[in-house]
């Protein structure tokens, strides 16, 4: 099915959504806003998509029957509301390529936060990265390229071996407690409680902790403040630090999803 003449609605006012709309226009697509939602064949929704049921239901009610919607980190409430409205809702953040690409601005944004919140160069600085998924791997590689002394801690043997194969020091997550006094920068990517009061107390006073994990994160932020640590919960870094790039990544993922549905891109 050709969709060159089809209409995209982009919903949301953050910089990433504006960039996505601009990129679609650059590709020659017709883009409308919420006021013309009834005209749109495809609806590009923001992430995380966890709007209240009533508000989201009203939005869906205004959509064109049979429209296809795309959102990121789609909540169960959003899925239920879309189903009730007869709108097919797909989660573009489940795309492997988008997750991998989003790791790039996440890593760059995290490095920017590290540089902004300490007075030392990364060169020869010991940095502990908790976890070794997509974001952690992108970050650790870039930190190592800046000659930081990167240690990766993870639960599973596979990620630890992968980190070692890339020239990084690696340790089991359960063994980090006696090592923590070595680090004044810790980045967590694990969405589970890993930096509790006991572990935070082992860090040098004034250390910087950046938590990239989704809510509620893996850090006891209250304990960190009481212990004199600088702890930052850095959510949605692609949208905050590189919205143009992040918006383009989302559009690419959505167009790939349309192509896989048999529509000609």
């Amino acid at each position: 099915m050709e969709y060159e003449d089809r209409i995209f609605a982009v919903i949301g006012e953050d910089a990433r959504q504006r960039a996505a709309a601009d990129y679609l226009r650059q590709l020659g697509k017709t883009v409308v806003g919420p006021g013309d939602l009834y005209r749109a064949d495809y609806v590009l929704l923001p992430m995380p998509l966890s709007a209240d049921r009533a508000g989201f239901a009203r939005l869906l009610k205004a959509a064109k029957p049979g429209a296809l919607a795309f959102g990121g980190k789609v909540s169960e409430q959003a899925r239920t509301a879309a189903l009730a409205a007869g709108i097919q809702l797909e989660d573009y953040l489940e795309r492997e390529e988008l997750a991998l690409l989003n790791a790039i601005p996440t890593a760059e944004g995290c490095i920017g936060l590290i540089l902004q919140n300490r007075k030392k160069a990364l060169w020869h600085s010991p940095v502990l990265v908790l976890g070794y998924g997509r974001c952690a791997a992108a970050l650790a590689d870039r930190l190592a390229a800046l000659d930081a002394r990167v240690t990766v801690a993870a639960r599973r043997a596979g990620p630890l071996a992968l980190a070692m194969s890339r020239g990084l020091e690696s340790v089991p997550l359960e063994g980090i407690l006696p090592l923590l006094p070595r680090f004044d920068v810790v980045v967590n990517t694990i969405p589970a409680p890993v930096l509790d009061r006991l572990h935070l107390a082992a860090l040098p006073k004034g250390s910087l902790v950046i938590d990239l994990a989704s809510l509620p994160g893996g850090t006891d932020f209250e304990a960190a403040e009481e212990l004199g640590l600088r702890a930052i919960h850095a959510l949605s870094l692609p949208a905050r630090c590189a919205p143009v790039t992040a918006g383009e990544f989302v559009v690419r993922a959505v167009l790939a999803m349309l192509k896989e549905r048999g529509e000609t891109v």
Side-chain angles (χ1 to χ4, degrees):
M1 181 186 301
E2 298 285 345
Y3 69 86
E4 283 78 0
D5 58 343
R6 301 230 162 185
I7 297 174
F8 289 78
V10 179
I11 310 301
E13 296 300 323
D14 67 31
R16 175 167 44 194
Q17 292 300 100
R18 293 195 298 271
D22 289 342
Y23 188 53
L24 281 166
R25 292 188 185 98
Q26 291 172 25
L27 295 175
K29 311 305 174 187
T30 300
V31 181
V32 299
D36 290 313
L37 185 58
Y38 67 95
R39 298 173 53 205
D41 302 285
Y42 308 113
V43 182
L44 187 58
L45 298 161
M47 74 169 90
L49 188 55
S50 57
D52 68 278
R53 294 185 187 182
F56 189 58
R58 286 194 298 270
L59 179 70
L60 293 174
K61 189 176 180 180
K64 182 178 179 179
L68 179 60
F70 299 88
K73 288 187 180 178
V74 178
S75 69
E76 286 304 315
Q77 291 87 351
R79 291 186 189 278
T80 301
L83 184 63
I87 301 294
Q88 186 171 350
L89 177 59
E90 302 286 347
D91 193 332
Y92 50 70
L93 205 60
E94 292 179 354
R95 300 285 298 189
E96 178 70 10
E97 75 271 26
L98 181 55
L100 287 168
L101 289 171
N102 269 338
I104 299 168
T106 298
E108 292 184 2
C110 182
I111 290 171
L113 285 175
I114 294 172
L115 294 173
Q116 291 168 16
N117 285 279
R118 67 198 300 264
K119 297 180 180 180
K120 298 179 182 178
L122 281 168
W123 177 76
H124 283 197
S125 291
V127 179
L128 177 63
V129 177
L130 304 182
Y132 201 65
R134 302 179 191 93
C135 288
L139 173 64
D141 286 351
R142 284 158 177 77
L143 288 169
L146 293 170
D147 287 326
R149 294 171 177 167
V150 181
T151 299
V152 170
R155 289 193 176 97
R156 295 185 294 114
L160 289 174
L162 181 59
M164 289 178 63
S165 74
R166 300 181 71 86
L168 304 171
E169 184 178 349
S170 64
V171 296
L173 185 64
E174 63 271 18
I176 64 171
L177 185 59
L179 305 178
L180 288 173
R182 293 168 39 191
F183 301 98
D184 63 0
V185 178
V186 179
V187 181
N188 175 55
T189 68
I190 301 172
V194 288
L195 289 175
D196 56 16
R197 181 179 290 273
L198 176 66
H199 287 79
L200 292 168
L203 291 170
K205 190 171 183 179
S207 293
L208 174 63
V209 176
I210 297 179
D211 199 319
L212 301 178
S214 55
L215 289 171
T219 302
D220 185 338
F221 291 98
E222 182 177 346
E225 184 176 1
E226 293 172 358
L227 292 166
L229 306 176
R230 172 74 165 151
I232 301 171
H233 200 181
L235 298 172
S236 300
L237 281 180
R240 290 168 49 192
C241 301
V244 171
T245 302
E248 291 182 5
F249 287 165
V250 168
V251 169
R252 290 181 190 178
V254 168
L255 294 181
M257 294 167 80
L258 287 171
K259 185 176 181 180
E260 289 173 5
R261 291 173 60 88
E263 307 202 19
T264 304
V265 179

